[in-house]
Structures are given as structure tokens and as C-alpha cells.
Amino acid sequence: MSFSDGGWTHRRGAMGDASEKAFWEWCDGKAVRWGLDSPDPSDLHVPSIPQRVRAAPDFLTNKSFVECCGVGRPQVLKLKLEKWDALRWWHTLHPVSVFIWDSHKKRKVLIGLEDLTTLINRPEVIEISYFDDTKLVFVIPIDAIVELGEVL
């Protein structure tokens, strides 16, 4: 069973954890936690929190905010429009980088938000789909990200 086929409870527990752990190991602890760390729904009703706060990048470094994402066997990054929009807002405060942990090929990729936006603006590279038939999602091949980003 693929990750995306798992139920919400299973996915919520693992979402971001592997990519955040990979980033933390790579940066050797030279970052501070910034965004929400998968709060327990009984502690915090996340949908009532403003979108830009919900979508705050995961870490802060001297060089940038860092949003951690993961890709698996399908080899595509799925980025919701609302998340991208919030990251662009955070980018007005301090540069944003996206750290991607490729669990299928065991590689780490770092790409600046501006370069990721360049890919999003290339319809021949990305696909557009919908999450829950309501939220627009950019589907970006990891190989395209590797071309503009940095394999660590």
C-alpha cells in the first residue's frame, strides 16, 4: 500500500516527519523550529488558525525559512496552491527554501522558492490536480526540481 492510500490518521502521523528528520540531520541542528509541529487536534483546532500561520515554514536558519516536503515512489512533489501562496508571503519577510526528502531514491534536494515558482509557471513541466476535489495542487516532477535545485 502506498503512503497516499493510507488513511488520514496514518498519513497525519507520518506527514512531514521523515522530511523534517532528514533536514534536521542534514543541517546538523543549525536551525530552529518555526512552524506548527503537527499539533494534536484535541489541543489545537488547526482549521481555525489563519492560513499563513498554518502554512508557516518548518524551520528558520540564518539564510532562509525552510519548508520540508517529501516525495516517494511517484517521484512528484504535490504542493497545494494555498501553501505556495502562504510561502510566497513568508518569502517577503525572509527568503524561503524548500527541502525535499526523496524517500524512494534516498536523496535530499534544496530549492529556493523563486526557482520552484519558475517551475510552477511552466505548464509543460507541471500538472494541476485537486486535493479532495476542492484544493488546487501543483504536481511537480522531482527530476525537474533537481535540475534547478541542489542535490545535497
Side-chain angles (χ1 to χ4, degrees), residues 66-100:
V66 179
E67 175 63 21
C68 298
C69 302
V71 301
R73 192 175 323 262
Q75 293 292 280
V76 294
L77 173 66
K78 294 182 179 182
L79 181 66
K80 292 178 189 170
L81 169 64
E82 62 186 17
K83 176 69 160 188
W84 175 66
D85 187 52
L87 291 175
R88 289 186 317 145
W89 181 82
W90 284 99
H91 188 74
T92 66
L93 304 176
H94 190 53
V96 172
S97 297
V98 179
F99 175 91
I100 302 161

Side-chain angles (χ1 to χ4, degrees), residues 44-61:
L44 185 65
H45 185 252
V46 176
S48 67
I49 304 297
Q51 173 58 26
R52 288 179 176 159
V53 175
R54 288 194 315 257
D58 298 305
F59 294 96
L60 173 64
T61 71

Side-chain angles (χ1 to χ4, degrees), residues 89-119:
W89 181 82
W90 284 99
H91 188 74
T92 66
L93 304 176
H94 190 53
V96 172
S97 297
V98 179
F99 175 91
I100 302 161
W101 166 239
D102 178 351
S103 61
H104 182 66
K105 293 190 176 178
K106 307 296 184 222
R107 62 183 169 175
K108 303 169 191 81
V109 181
L110 190 67
I111 187 168
L113 187 65
E114 291 173 343
D115 287 334
L116 192 60
T117 298
T118 297
L119 289 175

Side-chain angles (χ1 to χ4, degrees), residues 120-140:
I120 287 170
N121 288 319
R122 293 180 54 200
E124 73 277 10
V125 173
I126 69 157
E127 292 180 25
I128 294 176
S129 67
Y130 289 88
F131 176 76
D132 286 345
D133 295 324
T134 60
K135 295 181 180 180
L136 190 137
V137 175
F138 300 113
V139 181
I140 311 164

Side-chain angles (χ1 to χ4, degrees), residues 3 8-20 37-38 68 80 131:
F3 176 78
W8 171 245
T9 304
H10 165 75
R11 290 192 336 254
R12 184 187 168 284
M15 276 189 332
D17 291 349
S19 60
E20 289 172 13
D37 190 14
S38 302
C68 298
K80 292 178 189 170
F131 176 76

